[in-house]
Amino acid sequence: MPVEHPRLRRERRTIQSMIEIYCREQHGLPEGKLCAGCQELEDYALGRLARCPFQEDKSVCAKCAVHCYKPEMRQRVREVMRYAGPRMLLKHPVLAVRHLLDERRKSPTLKRRSESPSPPPKSHSPL
Ligand SMILES: [Zn+2]
């Protein structure tokens, strides 16, 4: 398993913390446990993060130029973040503040027209 960049590890912990807060308060699960639906969402979110083409250069997922979430999951994760975002400041202030700082990063784009004189490759990613 490759070494995880601190930037991604932080993003992962932020997502996990938000889903945990949401599930505990909305679905009544004890701390450290997730209901089946939230577990599915977490697995999906972490899977997307692991495959993120930007990796440590990424902004936060909500600001990303590449919408890699499928619509249903995107809707669910937005609901979790809307609920858990403000609560993160109380429960995980360091993570929350660092997430806010990450959010200020400019989201990278996959191709920069001015720097790539050759046409982009024709093949599309299977994602
Ligand atoms: Zn839940």
Side-chain angles (χ1 to χ4, degrees), residues 37-51:
C38 290
Q39 184 65 61
E40 182 194 15
L41 181 62
E42 183 186 275
D43 289 346
Y44 184 82
L46 298 184
R48 297 281 73 191
L49 184 62
R51 288 170 190 76

Side-chain angles (χ1 to χ4, degrees), residues 23 27 35 38:
C23 192
H27 304 150
C35 70
C38 290

Side-chain angles (χ1 to χ4, degrees), residues 7-8 10-12 14-15 18 45 48-49 52-69 74 77-78 81 88 94-108:
R7 170 77 187 81
L8 289 171
R10 188 162 76 241
E11 184 93 0
R12 186 162 56 79
T14 303
I15 290 171
M18 285 197 188
R48 297 281 73 191
L49 184 62
C52 178
F54 303 125
Q55 294 296 301
E56 69 266 23
D57 291 328
K58 77 186 291 295
S59 178
V60 296
C61 290
K63 291 270 182 75
C64 190
V66 175
H67 299 307
C68 70
Y69 280 54
R74 188 171 162 77
V77 86
R78 282 176 68 154
M81 289 185 177
M88 282 291 287
V94 175
L95 269 182
V97 166
R98 297 200 68 158
H99 192 73
L100 289 174
L101 292 176
D102 287 333
E103 211 174 88
R104 300 174 76 99
R105 293 162 71 105
K106 202 173 175 325
S107 189

